[in-house]
Amino acid sequence: MKFNYQRVNTVSEALEALSGNNETRKILAGGTDLLVMIQEHLISPGELLDISGIEELKEIGEDDGMIRLGALVTHGRIADSPLLREKALPLVESCGEVGSPQIRNLGTIGGNLVMASPSGDSIPALYVLGAEVILASNEGERSIPIEEFLIGVKKSAIRSDELLVAVIFPGMGADDRGFFRKLGQRKALAISKVSTAAIVSLRDGVIASARIALGAVATTVIRTPRTESFLVGQPLTPEVISEAARLCSEESRAITDIRSNAAYRDEMAGLLLSRGLAEIAEEN
Ligand SMILES: Cc1cc2nc3c(=O)[nH]c(=O)nc-3n(C[C@H](O)[C@H](O)[C@H](O)COP(=O)(O)OP(=O)(O)OC[C@H]3O[C@@H](n4cnc5c(N)ncnc54)[C@H](O)[C@@H]3O)c2cc1C
């Protein structure tokens, strides 16, 4: 297979290269999805724009409580970051479960988002963190909430002249507790059959706010608003956790596909929620 290859070292070089209309051009970051798709003849790009050398997209930063992750930050660096362990635990736990050490060292947060797979592991965590995606083009930058960025199975709102440059979200506060749990076919190197991320804010033993997101159960990641509302104002007792799990399974409305069937996914979504909440209850 033949294609043109261009390597860029700055965001402005990348945006210049992206400005010409070329539907067969593909951006190459870690290559863990793209190179597999090329190898399996699922796509045949005419041009590869290699952005992996852009240092300014590799930064993890915090400014006034807002966390900013450059698009080229790898799953491995997220999983190992003490700052993110304190401010974004569900994301740290989800990135720590991606593939294998080799995949985590290459695969990037930007690539995971643009792939827009319902089983992309970073995505439920970014939902509960309230993340926004920053897209840049020659016309400037725009920022969109993650729920509006992901519009379907492997479909995102990015345009062909745009580069995903960063993802931003408010860091978790002192009252916030969170987790990510995933169920795959095996313990390692498994794509999620179902995953659950949550952040609850605990004040004096009572839940003041709750955000829950489920991965791999629908065409995009979904939130479970009825379960979230139920939890607010409640202490984390075994009865409350069990009712939250039941509601969460009800709200999951999963799909059946080659990886798993709907009823099992619904049940597991609730079970993963109850396990995570039970651990939080134990630790507090
Ligand atoms: C063996 C194996 C196991 C895996 N296990 C998991 C897993 O457990 N969980 C999981 O979530 N994923 C898993 N993946 C998928 C993959 O590793 C991730 O989706 C990874 O985050 C992709 O990032 P990348 O940098 O490699 O993207 P690439 O492969 O370089 O690119 C993926 C897509 O995103 C586009 N893109 C990348 N960066 C940008 C950008 N900054 N702006 C615009 N477009 C961009 C590319 O053009 C391409 O369309 C696995 C993959 C393999 C091969």
Side-chain angles (χ1 to χ4, degrees):
M1 184 180 307
K2 278 197 174 158
F3 43 75
N4 291 327
Y5 172 87
Q6 184 185 359
R7 188 177 163 88
V8 285
N9 292 312
T10 64
V11 169
S12 43
E13 277 173 29
L15 296 184
E16 188 164 326
L18 288 170
S19 63
N21 197 11
N22 180 349
E23 288 305 320
T24 71
R25 178 184 44 227
K26 277 283 178 191
I27 291 171
L28 174 70
T32 59
D33 276 315
L34 192 67
L35 297 180
V36 172
M37 290 190 285
I38 294 174
Q39 223 164 22
E40 292 180 352
H41 304 285
L42 296 174
I43 54 165
S44 50
E47 187 181 316
L48 282 190
L49 181 67
D50 184 349
I51 60 164
S52 63
I54 304 182
E55 290 303 320
E56 61 199 286
L57 296 184
K58 297 182 183 174
E59 283 164 18
I60 299 177
E62 185 187 18
D63 186 16
D64 208 13
M66 285 299 283
I67 306 284
R68 183 183 168 106
L69 304 179
L72 290 177
V73 174
T74 61
H75 298 293
R77 283 187 56 220
I78 291 172
D80 290 345
S81 160
L83 171 73
L84 297 177
R85 180 159 289 276
E86 188 192 333
K87 301 289 172 113
L89 186 60
L91 186 64
V92 165
E93 291 184 342
S94 67
C95 291
E97 294 233 17
V98 168
S100 59
Q102 291 90 333
I103 297 292
R104 290 196 287 278
N105 284 338
L106 285 169
T108 63
I109 191 86
N112 206 233
L113 280 164
V114 175
M115 280 307 289
S117 164
S119 56
D121 281 324
S122 69
I123 297 172
L126 290 171
Y127 263 62
V128 296
L129 285 161
E132 300 220 342
V133 175
I134 315 273
L135 302 168
S137 73
N138 274 326
E139 287 159 26
E141 277 192 359
R142 64 180 176 127
S143 159
I144 27 180
I146 188 158
E147 288 92 340
E148 289 169 30
F149 178 71
L150 299 163
I151 52 182
V153 177
K154 303 205 167 170
K155 281 202 191 103
S156 80
I158 194 167
R159 301 192 311 252
S160 63
D161 65 334
E162 284 180 317
L163 182 70
L164 193 158
V165 287
V167 55
I168 57 167
F169 52 84
M172 287 166 64
D175 294 337
D176 294 337
R177 306 283 179 273
F179 64 84
F180 170 87
R181 296 285 181 276
K182 131 177 183 178
L183 194 79
Q185 190 67 34
R186 303 172 294 265
K187 254 195 140 8
L189 259 180
I191 304 297
S192 288
K193 284 180 176 183
V194 50
S195 63
T196 304
I199 295 180
V200 294
S201 191
L202 274 179
R203 282 190 210 124
D204 302 324
V206 170
I207 297 174
S209 68
R211 278 167 286 160
I212 301 165
L214 306 180
V217 297
T219 51
T220 60
V221 166
I222 58 164
R223 294 273 297 272
T224 59
R226 279 197 298 131
T227 313
E228 293 175 2
S229 303
F230 163 74
L231 281 169
V232 174
Q234 306 270 14
L236 267 182
T237 60
E239 295 72 30
V240 166
I241 293 173
S242 147
E243 177 60 6
R246 191 190 67 74
L247 281 171
C248 178
S249 293
E250 230 177 71
E251 283 192 281
S252 152
R253 300 178 315 273
I255 48 166
T256 294
D257 65 13
I258 49 162
R259 276 194 209 106
S260 195
N261 73 60
Y264 180 71
R265 278 188 159 127
D266 288 342
E267 196 183 330
M268 290 303 116
L271 183 72
L272 294 178
L273 178 70
S274 66
R275 282 185 186 159
L277 291 178
E279 267 179 45
I280 291 175
E282 232 169 73
E283 286 161 9
N284 286 274

